[in-house]
Amino acid sequence: MAASFYRTVLPLLAAATLAHVPGCAASSLSVRFDVYRSPLLGLPGEEESIALLGFNGTDLALNNLTGFLFARALVSDSTLTAIEMRPVLRTLSRHPHEAGRIPDSLALIVGREINADITLVGDLERAYTETYGEVKVFREEAAMEVGLGRTDIKIVNKSYIVPHIDQTAVMTATLRAYDVGSNELLGSFSVTETESYRTVLPDPVESPPEGAVPVEIVSPMLTEVIARRIVGRLMASIVREETQVTRRLVPAGNRGGISAAREGNWSGAVAIWEGLVEVDPNNAEAWNNLAIAYERSGRLTDAAAAYRSALSSRPSDRTIQVNSRAFGLPEAH
């Protein structure tokens, strides 16, 4: 995993421009910084361990192939902390369940037993068809022409019918990610891939079926190609991408914190705002600012707790609502 999810703070908007924001204090300071966010997992925690439980579906061989390829890709990615598939399957085997049917609740139970932070469980749907076809091709061949006591050789284009079968596979994978500690669904991601494979037949087929015919088995080469594509796209939904976020700091009774943030001294800002909330646990502005400072410093668990404290102290504050929602906390009702 990368050493830090956050890079050096970018220049504060318009050299630390102050902007009026309704619902909080008279002015606020917008700050921008880079974070690494996963399309499926959202903002990462510190060294989160990920466990893949496997894929559900009626085609057990396809479930196993896709699960194996995906587990190997997870473990091979140096930016992720993935648990090897063998201990996951060993723990899963201790719990009664049908092959190809792993309930999400069981995925969470296994995740706790193997000390995973995040569990992944997926569903696979596939449809295989075969379509018969014929193609007319022309080949140059030598032909003898006899006449008037002489034999000539000429090159002619001769037509042939080449019969074939096109196998087509359509696969849809849905991956769900759960936070093991809270049992919350972090996200769901679905992808669909299609691929075809043509097999040339030695002879035409008499009275072939018309159109696409559903089949249960296709070429192993076809299933592996499409499974690898599915895994590649699922991995892209997990791997963290750099993105820029904007948060608003607000005056919280001590201008030193804002000044420190303006200068890029986030450790100093953290110390100031921690002192403020220790003296006044209901200081919503200080909690908001402390949450941003924690987030900027990569202390995401602390940031989430601080955002919740800010919302608890002042649930109707528009600035706090915007910041916490952008961070990834669900809206309070």
Side-chain angles (χ1 to χ4, degrees), residues 287 290-291 294 299-312 327 329:
W287 278 119
L290 181 58
Y294 282 150
R299 297 169 58 179
L300 302 182
T301 301
D302 292 335
Y307 276 125
R308 291 190 180 97
S309 295
L311 287 170
S312 177
F327 174 77
L329 291 183

Side-chain angles (χ1 to χ4, degrees), residues 41-85:
L41 306 180
L43 285 170
E46 294 85 1
E47 295 295 328
E48 290 175 319
S49 59
I50 302 173
L52 173 66
L53 271 293
F55 288 89
N56 297 316
T58 56
D59 191 330
L60 300 184
L62 185 61
N63 296 344
N64 293 336
L65 172 63
T66 309
F68 169 76
L69 294 173
F70 192 24
R72 190 168 63 179
L74 286 170
V75 172
S76 300
D77 193 304
S78 60
T79 67
L80 302 174
T81 303
I83 298 176
E84 293 279 354
M85 198 67 176

Side-chain angles (χ1 to χ4, degrees), residues 23-25 248-254 258 273-274 276-293 303-321 323-324:
C24 206
R248 288 190 181 275
L249 297 167
V250 293
N254 184 327
I258 294 289
W273 289 319
E274 283 181 338
L276 288 179
V277 298
E278 184 176 354
V279 173
D280 181 8
N282 294 318
N283 190 331
E285 293 89 350
W287 278 119
N288 172 81
N289 295 352
L290 181 58
I292 295 169
Y307 276 125
R308 291 190 180 97
S309 295
L311 287 170
S312 177
S313 298
R314 193 175 295 167
S316 61
D317 189 290
R318 178 61 178 163
T319 298
I320 297 174
Q321 289 176 347
N323 284 338
S324 61

